[in-house]
Amino acid sequence: MTKSAGQPPSGPKRELIVFGLDTAGKPKAGRFAKKHAAVATRAAKSLKLSVCPGDKQAIADILKKIPVGRLHAQGKAFIPYIKRDLFDQIQAAATPASLAAKSNPGPAVTETPAARPPRSWDDIAEGHLVLYHEGPRDGWWESLVLARDGETLTLKYRDFSRYPAFQCHFRAVALPYLSSE
């Protein structure tokens, strides 16, 4: 039996998806071979985009529709623009909460999980609900805490899921009213 030198190994093709919104709010997505995962992940981080492994079952059908991204020698990446409906499909398939909702169909009130308010600023952690505003003219908006790294919070507006996540100091948020139950 002879091996053919130029053929890839058999089995599922492993790919990585980099996706997100650019600064103007336009959706972008690109797929990269698994061997370029480290460089693509660094490029995604610098572009403030999300990364999703392409070997998830929910992503398999969508993967064929995503254009191939390009990596440059300097470690930068070119992520092509895509249509909004394809972006929504990628985002829904990559989000664990939406995967759970698809496997357990039923009436859903919101796309986001129920969040609880923290007791104090020091207690703020992932999954908590806080209030945030960008300026005095914008008002306060309910935001979900996605992560906390020391004094820096990563937030996402609860009711505006298409807006990208953002970071702020933990003292820049307000705490929702807690009832004495």
Side-chain angles (χ1 to χ4, degrees), residues 19-29 49 79-84 87 162 164:
F19 69 99
L21 300 173
D22 69 358
T23 55
K26 293 181 181 179
K28 302 174 98 173
L49 300 175
I79 312 296
Y81 288 103
I82 59 171
K83 294 188 182 219
R84 176 61 73 170
F87 175 76
R162 290 190 178 187

Side-chain angles (χ1 to χ4, degrees), residues 23-137:
T23 55
K26 293 181 181 179
K28 302 174 98 173
R31 58 186 162 104
F32 295 91
K34 203 67 157 179
K35 66 182 179 180
H36 300 298
V39 178
T41 302
R42 279 194 306 271
K45 194 174 204 178
S46 70
L47 294 170
K48 297 181 178 156
L49 300 175
S50 300
V51 177
C52 175
D55 54 1
K56 287 184 170 184
Q57 183 61 32
I59 296 285
D61 298 331
I62 301 169
L63 194 62
K64 300 170 197 159
K65 301 175 190 175
I66 302 171
V68 177
R70 292 187 301 222
L71 294 171
H72 300 287
Q74 298 86 8
K76 295 182 181 179
F78 171 75
I79 312 296
Y81 288 103
I82 59 171
K83 294 188 182 219
R84 176 61 73 170
D85 61 333
L86 179 58
F87 175 76
D88 292 340
Q89 290 174 16
I90 296 167
Q91 192 171 29
T95 306
S98 67
L99 290 176
K102 285 182 184 176
S103 65
N104 186 12
V109 177
T110 64
E111 293 178 342
T112 57
R116 61 198 184 286
R119 296 248 176 235
S120 70
W121 276 281
D122 294 330
D123 293 340
I124 296 174
E126 182 178 340
H128 280 141
L129 179 70
V130 296
L131 301 173
Y132 180 78
H133 74 97
E134 293 183 9
R137 297 174 58 190

